[in-house]
Amino acid sequence: MDDGVSTVLPGHGPVLNDAQGAVEFYLAHRAHRLAQVETAVEAGHRTPAEVVASVYADVDRSLWPAAELSVRAQLDYLGEHGLIES
């Protein structure tokens, strides 16, 4: 879909000159992370902190608090859609 948007001006980081590519990348990345969160829960990680330690093990620990906020939202989503036990 091309709605005429070609550039993304994010709140941080460089200007993204391929808007469609950026959107596709971020959607794929989010889907991948959601699958990782679901797998972590299936492996026995129950708290957001446990999921973060498993899924974000390769990410700088200074980013873990922000990751935990994302994981909390993902756990809510998975629970609401019956993909994990709440």
Side-chain angles (χ1 to χ4, degrees):
M1 176 175 87
D2 181 2
D3 61 4
V5 175
S6 61
T7 304
V8 177
L9 304 171
H12 59 84
V15 171
L16 306 174
N17 291 314
D18 176 12
Q20 186 66 34
V23 168
E24 289 170 4
F25 170 80
Y26 285 118
L27 288 174
H29 180 69
R30 277 293 103 213
H32 179 69
R33 280 291 195 216
L34 185 61
Q36 287 178 307
V37 169
E38 186 175 7
T39 298
V41 171
E42 290 169 353
H45 303 288
R46 296 289 175 239
T47 68
E50 290 173 343
V51 172
V52 168
S54 172
V55 173
Y56 291 83
D58 62 339
V59 174
D60 186 315
R61 284 178 161 256
S62 69
L63 301 175
W64 283 18
E68 189 170 326
L69 295 174
S70 181
V71 165
R72 286 178 185 280
Q74 291 168 321
L75 291 172
D76 287 345
Y77 174 88
L78 292 168
E80 289 171 7
H81 288 86
L83 300 169
I84 62 169
E85 289 185 31
S86 301

